[in-house]
Amino acid sequence: MTATAPKTDTPADTKTMTMIAAINNALDLALEGDDTVHIFGEDVGVMGGVFRATDGLQAKYGVDRVFDTPLAEAAIVGMGIGMGLAGLKPVAEIQFAGFLYPALDQVLSHLGRYRHRTRSRYHLPMVVRAPYGGGVHTPEQHADSPEAILAHTPGIKVVIPSTPADAKGLLLSAIMDPDPVFFFEAIKLYRSVKEEVPVGDYRIPLGKARIVTEGNDVTVICYGGMVEVAQKAAAAAGSAGIGVEVIDLRTLVPLDTDTILASVQKTGRVVVVTEAPRTGGFHSEISATIAEEAIEYLRAPIVRVTGFDAPYPPFTAIEDVYRPNAVRVARAIKAVMGY
């Protein structure tokens, strides 16, 4: 059975946007609608961010609400923690996800702990945005995928959109969430995709996956920059009569296990696709969850299509080998179908 796109209701009032434009629109609406929202990070003010996600926002809202910081990731996150505890809604930008590592002490020791530390007397409503992932031949540490580190940290939510509309709806939900949220944005998708995005205050609840295509033969689970890769593989499989159900997780924490398990029970075959290194990646958490909750439905072993246990290759065409592509995913689909 070939895969088909599920029916969706598109709001009548929409505007065509890229992902970066949708993110900028969400930030603009958040600043306009809530005086406690503040945006800060390296080059986000005068320059409008290296990818122009915050373009024009400092001019519109002033340097008190949209401001530049030094090149000091630990200070950016630490300051945001203080702002959140003081009743503000900080939205910090880490220029690239691979630059986050100096701030991990703040993240691991403090950011996710305050609700537990204070027995829920205090919440910490902070968003940390960061571009992540490959596909555009960047320098070293500009294409890392460290989402598993954050998903493993109690108290932190992790969101990774794959479309402009999802980026806007999920970001507005993240900013209004009472707990800290890491919001990763696939660099390759910033300007490569345009779609109709609802105007005005538009929110998508955290923890709800999206079924991209429906199928009865194989479930392919992915998120962020790997969704378009999975779609291409699903289309190729469809031409051979294989129905592939592509699930875009949208959020890793909280994880929509209901949608995952319902699909696995239907297809009995699973491929999980991420561009992070293979060992200890979030793909393994997904695989373990399926093995624990739905092993009796599996007709074949779960197959992971991932990056490799090596630093992400900078600049060169080796990136095209490291980063999963539609051919590798299609081979995995063929493997589980032939088991």
Side-chain angles (χ1 to χ4, degrees):
M1 178 180 177
T2 56
T4 58
K7 294 180 180 180
T8 58
D9 294 324
T10 303
D13 197 3
T14 64
K15 182 179 180 180
T16 302
M17 297 184 193
T18 61
M19 181 179 282
I20 203 72
I23 290 167
N24 180 271
N25 181 229
L27 295 172
D28 188 5
L29 288 169
L31 287 163
E32 181 180 53
D34 190 335
D35 290 341
T36 67
V37 174
H38 290 68
I39 296 172
F40 53 94
E42 299 164 7
D43 298 320
V44 305
V46 175
M47 184 176 176
V50 292
F51 293 103
R52 303 301 185 266
T54 53
D55 189 33
L57 298 182
Q58 186 181 81
K60 185 174 182 179
Y61 296 100
V63 295
D64 289 337
R65 297 190 64 201
V66 182
F67 55 91
D68 294 313
T69 66
L71 307 183
E73 286 76 15
I76 292 171
V77 176
M79 178 173 63
I81 291 171
M83 293 169 69
L85 291 173
L88 301 176
K89 293 187 178 71
V91 181
E93 179 181 303
I94 300 296
Q95 201 165 75
F96 291 88
F99 296 177
L100 175 66
Y101 308 131
L104 284 181
D105 180 33
Q106 294 289 344
V107 174
L108 303 178
S109 300
H110 301 290
L111 182 60
R113 294 177 180 263
Y114 270 95
R115 180 193 283 270
H116 181 267
R117 185 177 286 168
T118 66
R119 303 301 185 265
S120 289
R121 289 193 297 273
Y122 286 89
H123 300 271
L124 216 172
M126 178 179 182
V127 173
V128 182
R129 293 181 42 252
Y132 90 102
V136 294
H137 300 281
T138 54
E140 185 179 6
Q141 286 189 265
H142 289 64
D144 287 16
S145 298
E147 62 270 19
I149 299 173
L150 302 167
H152 187 67
T153 305
I156 290 175
K157 298 177 181 178
V158 181
V159 179
I160 308 181
S162 69
T163 70
D166 278 8
K168 176 179 178 177
L170 291 167
L171 182 53
L172 283 171
S173 291
I175 293 171
M176 298 306 160
D177 196 273
D179 295 307
V181 179
F182 271 84
F183 195 91
F184 280 0
E185 304 153 7
I187 298 172
K188 189 175 185 297
L189 301 180
Y190 268 154
R191 291 181 172 84
S192 63
V193 179
K194 291 183 179 181
E195 71 173 3
E196 292 301 304
V197 177
V199 300
D201 187 358
Y202 166 70
R203 304 185 194 183
I204 296 172
L206 306 188
K208 182 61 179 174
R210 175 175 70 101
I211 298 177
V212 182
T213 61
E214 295 177 346
N216 291 325
D217 299 318
V218 181
T219 299
V220 176
I221 302 169
C222 50
Y223 51 84
M226 290 293 99
V227 174
E228 66 170 4
V229 173
Q231 287 180 274
K232 291 176 182 177
S239 65
I242 301 171
V244 178
E245 184 145 292
V246 176
I247 296 178
D248 173 8
L249 293 180
R250 286 174 163 166
T251 63
L252 308 190
V253 182
L255 181 65
D256 184 359
T257 55
D258 290 343
T259 296
I260 293 172
L261 296 176
S263 182
V264 172
Q265 290 172 15
K266 177 172 64 172
T267 67
R269 304 176 184 90
V270 182
V271 175
V272 187
V273 187
T274 77
E275 57 188 296
R278 186 174 183 83
T279 300
F282 196 77
H283 41 263
S284 299
E285 176 64 23
I286 297 167
S287 301
T289 299
I290 294 169
E292 287 178 347
E293 302 292 337
I295 195 168
E296 67 270 28
Y297 295 96
L298 292 178
R299 303 179 187 180
I302 301 166
V303 174
R304 296 171 293 166
V305 182
T306 71
F308 296 90
D309 290 335
Y312 199 98
F315 294 119
T316 68
I318 298 174
E319 176 182 42
D320 299 330
V321 177
Y322 183 99
R323 189 174 187 264
N325 55 38
V327 173
R328 288 176 59 192
V329 178
R331 286 173 181 166
I333 292 170
K334 183 179 180 180
V336 296
M337 285 297 297
Y339 181 79

